[in-house]
Amino acid sequence: LTFPLLSVTLLVSFGSSMLYGYNLAVVNSPAEHIKAFYNTSWSQRFGHGLAPGPLTLLYALTVSIFALGGLGGSLLVGVLVERYGRNGALSRSALLVLLAGSFMGFSRELGSPEMVIIGRSLTGLHSGICLSVVPLYLGEIAPKNLRGFLGLMPSIFICLGVFSAQVLGLPELLGKDRFWPLFLSVVVVPASLQLLLLHCFPESPRYLLIERNDICGATKALHWFLGTPEVQDVIKEMKEEQRSLSSTEMVSVWQLLRDRSVRWQTLSVVVLNAGMQLSGIDAIWFYTNTIFENAGIPVSQIPYTTMGTGATEVIAGLIGCFTIERVGRRPLIITGFCAMGVCSAGITISLLLQAALPWMRYVSVACVVGIIAGFCMGPAGVPFLMTAELFMQSHRPAAYIVGGSLNWLCNFTVGFIFPFLQMSAGAFCYLVFCAVCLLVALYVYLVIPETKNKTFMEISHIFA
């Protein structure tokens, strides 16, 4: 593990992945303040406030528009990484955050709820791009023995982003009514740092050699990243992959879906990415305070309970990062999804028994913590890592578009529908998440092979 490898991993994780986690959780604590702002703005414009139903709908749109922006960003990944490279796509996407921060930061001064919604959609667009490009970039620059460690580093920063939003959202910090626009626009700080520093790092060597046929540039990038002049074995492996793809152009999404030779890889990406979002983790992140309130936690204690779950995320992410090269990808994913499924069922049981047994509220909190820990230990980052590992260079961008699109579509679905599902199904809504988690764990156990310490060519041959 060289200093340049670690530096670029930390930079793109801080400037991109952390923002994804922050924006997932940032709307949780100021929810009532934002709703009050929407109501006041509506009264000033039309002379009457919003009814509870339309107000809930408008706020649900504010929460879930982030995912629609992410869906749009994921559809742009193929074009951006082909035209600008991995490094170039990340640099340019940081400009979106600066624009989004300006919209959200000045929304209250201008009395415009629309600016909050536009800002959320722009941060979603940025996250949609980065959620695919960061693991793609890191997966291509990392040696095979470090691919798991570096590939899970972004998931730690996603957890750190969620935790940062929970800490800054405390009433003693930015959780007050007058500070929520600043709270939403803090995202400009990591994005600015990435924009300033990322150009100091080389482009992905695999992109330079295989797609641009720039052997000299790829060799220099490898020297820089690996810190050694002995890179001929890596160059040889990339040339073999280039030769195997010499008659194959970069495939489109439609060609990927029709290609029978990679149908199991494609299906695996679909299952992992859809399952990751339909597992219920977004419901936990978007509506943590509401869930704890329904569980009977005193309102004054909810921000600190929520912050405790954020600390659990970071610890679980670190455990996953430092154990993935020892235990492999499959055990982490299977264990994570099984833990989430059991804890989802536990929330249902605890809520049903709470009226008779008041102490069951603490079981609900423990189950929420279990869901978050299970997710951050494996499912949070491994699907993005495995998308890079399961495909050759020609299919990889299209695979990220498919996985990213499904990821964000399911994210939007859960974020938008969960409040209404909770109102209609009550405690039983968590059983849906339980079923999804257990089915995904079964699929991974039956279908997906272990990819630890294998080259991209070897993984392709396993599926073949």
Side-chain angles (χ1 to χ4, degrees):
L1 180 63
T2 63
F3 180 72
L5 265 178
L6 184 60
S7 299
V8 74
T9 302
L10 293 175
L11 178 63
V12 298
S13 298
F14 177 70
S16 296
S17 303
M18 187 170 172
L19 297 188
Y20 168 65
Y22 186 87
N23 285 305
L24 278 176
V26 73
V27 291
N28 184 39
S29 58
E32 295 307 316
H33 304 318
I34 295 174
K35 287 180 182 178
F37 164 65
Y38 286 177
N39 213 14
T40 302
S41 301
W42 195 271
S43 297
Q44 290 172 347
R45 290 185 189 181
F46 304 105
H48 60 86
L50 283 162
L55 184 59
T56 301
L57 184 63
L58 188 59
Y59 183 72
L61 177 64
T62 305
V63 172
S64 53
I65 197 73
F66 174 71
L68 280 186
L71 176 60
S74 67
L75 295 174
L76 296 174
V77 166
V79 175
L80 292 175
V81 296
E82 187 176 350
R83 179 174 298 180
Y84 302 115
R86 285 63 168 145
N87 186 304
L90 289 174
S91 297
R92 287 165 174 79
S93 67
L95 296 171
L96 292 169
V97 182
L98 305 184
L99 184 61
S102 301
F103 272 103
M104 294 186 292
F106 292 106
S107 59
R108 187 170 61 182
E109 297 298 322
L110 300 175
S112 174
E114 296 85 355
M115 292 177 69
V116 180
I117 295 172
I118 292 171
R120 286 281 294 169
S121 66
L122 288 174
T123 57
L125 189 65
H126 168 264
S127 293
I129 295 168
C130 295
L131 209 58
S132 294
V133 179
V134 168
L136 177 61
Y137 185 36
L138 297 182
E140 291 184 355
I141 67 174
K144 64 181 181 181
N145 62 307
L146 290 174
R147 216 161 49 218
F149 173 74
L150 296 182
L152 275 197
M153 194 71 77
S155 69
I156 294 177
F157 276 83
I158 291 173
C159 297
L160 278 171
V162 173
F163 183 57
S164 300
Q166 291 165 344
V167 172
L168 291 176
L170 291 174
E172 294 84 355
L173 297 174
L174 300 181
K176 296 183 177 70
D177 180 46
R178 67 178 184 274
F179 289 141
W180 69 260
L182 175 62
F183 186 32
L184 296 183
S185 59
V186 165
V187 291
V188 301
V189 177
S192 300
L193 188 65
Q194 179 173 287
L195 192 61
L196 288 172
L197 297 180
L198 193 56
H199 71 277
C200 301
F201 295 89
E203 185 52 81
S204 159
R206 303 188 78 85
Y207 168 78
L208 292 172
L209 193 149
I210 297 175
E211 296 185 36
R212 293 294 181 224
N213 203 29
D214 183 1
I215 298 176
C216 181
T219 305
K220 288 180 180 178
L222 283 170
H223 288 324
W224 201 89
F225 280 127
L226 302 183
T228 175
E230 304 299 325
V231 296
Q232 293 310 309
D233 289 343
V234 185
I235 293 288
K236 181 181 177 183
E237 181 214 325
M238 288 194 290
K239 285 184 175 178
E240 287 178 5
E241 186 175 340
Q242 186 186 38
R243 279 194 295 272
S244 72
L245 299 173
S246 58
S247 59
T248 307
E249 296 181 354
M250 300 299 290
V251 303
S252 66
V253 171
W254 180 241
Q255 290 170 324
L256 175 72
L257 296 176
R258 295 181 60 192
D259 190 344
R260 295 176 64 84
S261 68
V262 293
R263 62 183 173 182
W264 281 106
Q265 291 98 310
T266 305
L267 181 60
S268 298
V269 166
V270 167
V271 170
L272 285 175
N273 281 276
M276 180 169 63
Q277 298 300 337
L278 296 178
S279 66
I281 189 63
D282 288 317
I284 300 293
W285 274 336
F286 288 153
Y287 302 104
T288 309
N289 287 13
T290 305
I291 292 170
F292 285 158
E293 190 175 339
N294 291 339
I297 303 298
V299 175
S300 60
Q301 297 178 16
I302 286 177
Y304 307 98
T305 310
T306 301
M307 190 177 70
T309 65
T312 304
E313 293 171 31
V314 178
I315 295 169
L318 287 169
I319 292 171
C321 187
F322 286 103
T323 59
I324 187 170
E325 293 299 353
R326 183 182 297 272
V327 304
R329 282 66 158 148
R330 290 176 76 247
L332 281 181
I333 295 181
I334 293 170
T335 303
F337 275 113
C338 286
M340 294 172 73
V342 171
C343 289
S344 295
I347 292 179
T348 297
I349 294 170
S350 62
L351 290 176
L352 290 175
L353 297 178
Q354 188 178 305
L357 303 170
W359 56 267
M360 290 298 287
R361 72 180 65 172
Y362 301 109
V363 176
S364 297
V365 174
C367 288
V368 169
V369 171
I371 290 172
I372 290 172
F375 180 77
C376 293
M377 201 154 39
V382 176
F384 300 111
L385 167 64
M386 293 193 76
T387 303
E389 293 183 328
L390 296 182
F391 292 91
M392 302 292 283
Q393 192 83 7
S394 59
H395 292 67
R396 207 170 286 138
Y400 269 106
I401 292 174
V402 171
S405 301
L406 269 172
N407 191 302
W408 286 103
L409 193 60
C410 295
N411 184 306
F412 171 78
T413 302
V414 173
F416 192 77
I417 290 178
F418 180 73
F420 303 100
L421 180 65
Q422 197 176 34
M423 284 190 287
S424 60
F428 294 101
C429 67
Y430 298 98
L431 292 181
V432 176
F433 303 136
C434 172
V436 169
C437 291
L438 297 180
L439 287 173
V440 173
L442 181 64
Y443 177 88
V444 174
Y445 178 77
L446 295 175
V447 175
I448 299 180
E450 183 54 69
T451 58
K452 181 180 72 171
N453 282 340
K454 292 182 173 63
T455 67
F456 295 122
M457 294 285 286
E458 289 170 342
I459 294 168
S460 180
H461 290 153
I462 291 172
F463 270 100

